[in-house]
Amino acid sequence: MKLNTVNKSATKPNQKKMVLAIAIALASSTASFSSLAADPTDQKVVATANATSTQESDLLTLYRQAALSDPVFNSAKYNYIAGKEKLWQGFSVLTPQVTAVGSETKNNLTRKGETEVPLKSRAWSVRLTQPLFNWDKWEQFRQGDLATSIAEAQYAAAEQDLVLRVTEAYFNVLNAQDTLNLSRNKKTLIKEQLEQAKRNFEVGTATITDTHEAQSRYDLVVAQELAAEADLLIKRSALEQLTGSNIGNLKSLSSQAKIEIIAKERKIKLKNNQKPSKINIENAVAVQPNQDIQGWIKQAEDVSYTIIASKLAYEIAQKDTNRAIAGHAPSIDLIAQRGYNDSESGGIGVNYRAYSSQASIQVTIPLFSGGYTQSVVREKSALASKALADYENTRRSVAQATRQAYLGFTSGLAQVKAYEAAEISALSALDSNKLGYEVGVRINIDVLNAQDTLFTTRRDLAKSRYDTILNGLKLKAQASVLSDEDLQAVNALLK
């Protein structure tokens, strides 16, 4: 959407489209994730959460825990609950306002040279005011409707953000575990190579250089192991911060996992009651012409929760300007009142009782406010321009994030395949160097270098798998099509 296409004449149609998009998006997202984010009062869920420290946890289990205890998500949930009240608050200003006032007064009346005379009076009144024409209140009502829609979009975005944060933290732990395990395996093999180098030196078949090189590699891998242990503790604590409890052992990603399934089906949001179409993205080199990156960017720009919220915030800012302009406009109210008044005097015997009823149409016309109204109009107009600039920045940011996620996923698929091939080659190279070292055509450092290559390749392969899956989820989140099915698909890759 170009900037110059966002104007007052397009506000009402655009608003309807935005609200429709939110309703559709929430119907997909809220209904989907509600099956995973369980009710906090569910005793079974609480029992499951308490038992996770004694058994292996998977991604779905930890997501359910995070949905109950993550402060960021809980903040978004209560913000949504509070935001829904904006609709009723905006509607209330158009409904009748009824007030009742009652009073009782006691006076002592004294004239010069006379005795004190007590005087009592009582009164009550009920007043109803119904706005007939008030531009300011009408715009306030429409703002309440838009504010509720913003709360809904922000909550839907928070649901998807929780999926991404839990998945990323989960994979960070797995990656740290892989790094630690590889360091330990590497230390074991290097230790064996060091002992063999020492034996060969003792019998005179190798030089002291081989022993020193192996010792140097061994000392280095010990330091790497210590760093990996510390990093694992940090990554686990980050995941526990989301779940609010001990995470226990985690299921790892299967080495035979088919990562392509994570973004295989791109679901298009319903528009005008049309059925969603499915687009397959198999891998980085087999993308159909109508399934390119621009299609994902267009999808994100149309229904991204972040963009919807920003667009609605701009419309609210426009209505703030309208409310300021309404300070110059007249207002018309219907006023109906019923009252009662009585008074009595104990000394002079005067009693008075009366009921009164009245109805009127009141017209209020602002004439002069010392320049305050004009100043507010200029202020709100500038804030509306700011909101429009923020909307454009959000649109561009979402487009860039979608582009990065798409390229990260598609290139990640190719990297995984390349690393899988490189792992096979590195393993063959290690076996060859070991055999060559035994027959005397290779030296010890050749074997150590081959081991380093194999372990580095395996570490990079594991990380590439995690990054590819995460980018696939981010891509769907930007296009507002991330659902519990995607989380279950990722969970199915764990073992």
Side-chain angles (χ1 to χ4, degrees):
M1 179 182 294
K2 296 182 180 179
L3 291 177
N4 57 10
T5 63
V6 182
N7 51 44
K8 295 181 180 179
S9 62
T11 298
K12 188 172 182 180
N14 287 340
Q15 177 183 343
K16 292 181 179 179
K17 293 180 180 178
M18 289 295 179
V19 173
L20 176 60
I22 289 176
I24 293 169
L26 285 174
S28 172
S29 176
T30 306
S32 298
F33 286 113
S34 61
S35 61
L36 299 179
D39 186 350
T41 61
D42 192 338
Q43 298 299 324
K44 294 182 179 179
V45 174
V46 175
T48 302
N50 294 334
T52 53
S53 59
T54 60
Q55 61 185 8
E56 280 192 331
S57 301
D58 59 10
L59 188 58
L60 283 178
T61 300
L62 297 183
Y63 172 78
R64 292 189 181 103
Q65 294 183 42
L68 298 178
S69 62
D70 177 49
V72 176
F73 181 69
N74 285 334
S75 174
K77 178 176 63 177
Y78 291 117
N79 181 70
Y80 166 63
I81 295 174
K84 290 194 299 182
E85 300 302 323
K86 294 294 185 181
L87 175 62
W88 302 110
Q89 293 172 13
F91 177 72
S92 67
V93 300
L94 300 180
T95 59
Q97 308 296 310
V98 181
T99 59
V101 178
S103 65
E104 180 174 341
T105 306
K106 294 182 179 181
N107 294 319
N108 291 324
L109 202 60
T110 304
R111 294 181 181 179
K112 186 175 181 180
E114 296 182 1
T115 60
E116 187 176 86
V117 179
L119 179 64
K120 294 182 180 179
S121 63
R122 289 177 293 272
W124 57 261
S125 65
V126 178
R127 180 187 178 94
L128 180 146
T129 303
Q130 171 63 57
L132 299 180
F133 174 79
N134 191 308
W135 188 8
D136 175 77
K137 292 182 177 180
W138 174 250
E139 294 294 342
Q140 186 177 348
F141 161 69
R142 299 176 69 185
Q143 281 183 317
D145 187 21
L146 294 174
T148 299
S149 298
I150 290 178
E152 293 173 349
Q154 290 174 339
Y155 180 64
E159 286 184 315
Q160 296 194 339
D161 179 66
L162 180 63
V163 174
L164 296 179
R165 288 189 292 118
V166 172
T167 304
E168 184 172 11
Y170 189 98
F171 284 162
N172 285 341
V173 174
L174 293 186
N175 186 44
Q177 287 179 347
D178 292 341
T179 302
L180 178 59
N181 292 334
L182 290 177
S183 296
R184 289 173 175 173
N185 293 336
K186 186 177 179 180
K187 184 179 72 171
T188 300
L189 294 178
I190 292 177
K191 185 177 181 180
E192 294 175 357
Q193 198 68 22
L194 174 61
E195 293 174 351
Q196 184 177 359
K198 289 180 179 179
R199 290 194 299 267
N200 291 341
F201 174 72
E202 291 174 357
V203 299
T205 58
T207 65
I208 191 62
T209 303
D210 289 343
T211 303
H212 290 167
E213 289 174 346
Q215 184 66 51
S216 175
R217 295 294 180 93
Y218 181 78
D219 294 338
L220 178 61
V221 77
V222 169
Q224 292 173 345
E225 181 185 12
L226 294 175
E229 289 175 348
D231 185 62
L232 177 58
L233 291 177
I234 295 174
K235 295 300 191 297
R236 288 180 64 87
S237 64
L239 182 55
E240 289 172 350
Q241 181 181 357
L242 293 175
T243 62
S245 61
N246 191 341
I247 60 176
N249 297 323
L250 302 184
K251 292 184 178 181
S252 60
L253 185 66
S254 172
S255 60
Q256 303 300 322
K258 300 296 183 181
I259 298 180
E260 288 86 346
I261 195 176
I262 302 303
K264 182 177 180 180
E265 293 185 355
R266 173 183 167 210
K267 301 176 182 178
I268 305 300
K269 288 295 180 182
L270 295 174
K271 293 182 178 180
N272 299 326
N273 296 323
Q274 296 178 355
K275 293 183 178 180
S277 59
K278 296 182 179 180
I279 300 178
N280 296 327
I281 297 182
E282 293 293 340
N283 50 49
V285 295
V287 178
Q288 299 299 322
N290 62 338
Q291 303 166 7
D292 59 7
I293 187 173
Q294 295 302 323
W296 283 96
I297 293 176
K298 181 64 169 60
Q299 168 81 358
E301 290 180 337
D302 285 343
V303 295
S304 169
Y305 297 127
T306 305
I307 291 181
I308 289 175
S310 181
K311 176 64 171 62
L312 294 177
Y314 166 63
E315 293 189 11
I316 288 180
Q318 281 186 313
K319 297 193 181 306
D320 266 335
T321 304
N322 294 340
R323 290 184 62 186
I325 296 174
H328 296 291
S331 60
I332 305 175
D333 299 302
L334 169 64
I335 299 177
Q337 182 170 309
R338 174 71 170 174
Y340 169 78
N341 185 284
D342 69 40
S343 62
E344 60 183 34
S345 175
I348 58 178
V350 177
N351 295 306
Y352 173 80
R353 291 181 177 86
Y355 289 91
S356 64
S357 301
Q358 67 178 32
S360 62
I361 300 295
Q362 178 177 292
V363 179
T364 303
I365 302 176
L367 296 179
F368 181 69
S369 61
Y372 174 81
T373 303
Q374 293 89 335
S375 176
V376 173
V377 170
R378 293 192 296 269
E379 176 195 9
K380 300 303 182 181
S381 178
L383 291 177
S385 298
K386 175 185 178 298
L388 180 59
D390 292 340
Y391 162 69
E392 178 63 17
N393 179 63
T394 301
R395 189 185 66 81
R396 295 183 185 183
S397 298
V398 168
Q400 178 64 13
T402 304
R403 188 178 295 107
Q404 291 177 349
Y406 178 89
L407 294 176
F409 175 75
T410 53
S411 63
L413 294 177
Q415 289 179 8
V416 168
K417 293 181 179 179
Y419 280 128
E420 288 174 345
E423 181 186 20
I424 298 175
S425 301
L427 184 59
S428 300
L430 176 59
D431 293 338
S432 299
N433 278 279
K434 284 183 176 180
L435 180 60
Y437 181 70
E438 292 175 357
V439 300
V441 297
R442 293 290 184 186
I443 60 177
N444 189 51
I445 193 172
D446 293 329
V447 178
L448 295 176
N449 288 336
Q451 288 177 344
D452 282 343
T453 301
L454 176 61
F455 287 124
T456 301
T457 301
R458 285 177 173 172
R459 180 196 63 196
D460 294 343
L461 171 59
K463 189 175 187 306
S464 181
R465 286 175 179 269
Y466 304 141
D467 291 344
T468 301
I469 293 174
L470 187 59
N471 279 317
L473 296 180
K474 288 181 177 180
L475 181 60
K476 284 196 165 186
Q478 292 297 331
S480 297
V481 293
L482 183 63
S483 68
D484 63 331
E485 295 178 357
D486 301 300
L487 195 62
Q488 292 171 2
V490 176
N491 197 66
L493 302 180
L494 306 174
K495 62 177 181 178

